[in-house]
Amino acid sequence: MRAKLQVHTKVETGAGEHRQVQVQFTAVGGPENEEWSRYTPACQLNISLKGDLADRYEIGKTYFVDFSPVEPTDED
């Protein structure tokens, strides 16, 4: 299943090596998100990112998140 999520907020703490950004995503409707929104009309995803990785995500921009099963391995 594929969900279309939009960056809703970004909260930054710390600086330099200690910089951390909490990024909150919310669900977006639309044709490419029809399967997702039909069964799950709401979603909220929060991730904490360190360093420059947080700069890749901009408030108001949308991103796809794919949910697919992981097959167990001998290590699980």
Side-chain angles (χ1 to χ4, degrees):
M1 177 171 28
R2 182 176 234 202
K4 184 177 180 183
L5 303 178
Q6 181 178 43
V7 176
H8 181 65
T9 61
K10 291 174 69 174
V11 177
E12 187 170 332
T13 57
E17 291 180 20
H18 303 288
R19 178 178 178 239
Q20 187 168 322
V21 181
Q22 179 78 24
V23 183
Q24 180 186 66
F25 296 82
T26 56
V28 176
E32 64 278 343
N33 210 27
E34 185 177 336
E35 179 186 0
W36 167 266
S37 60
R38 182 182 321 132
Y39 300 108
T40 311
C43 174
Q44 186 175 43
L45 172 68
N46 295 302
I47 56 174
S48 294
L49 303 171
K50 291 185 176 182
D52 297 335
L53 183 61
D55 297 332
R56 297 182 188 180
Y57 300 96
E58 298 178 32
I59 293 175
K61 281 200 169 186
T62 56
Y63 302 86
F64 285 115
V65 177
D66 293 302
F67 294 90
S68 55
V70 175
E71 295 301 324
T73 66
D74 292 338
E75 298 172 8
D76 290 338

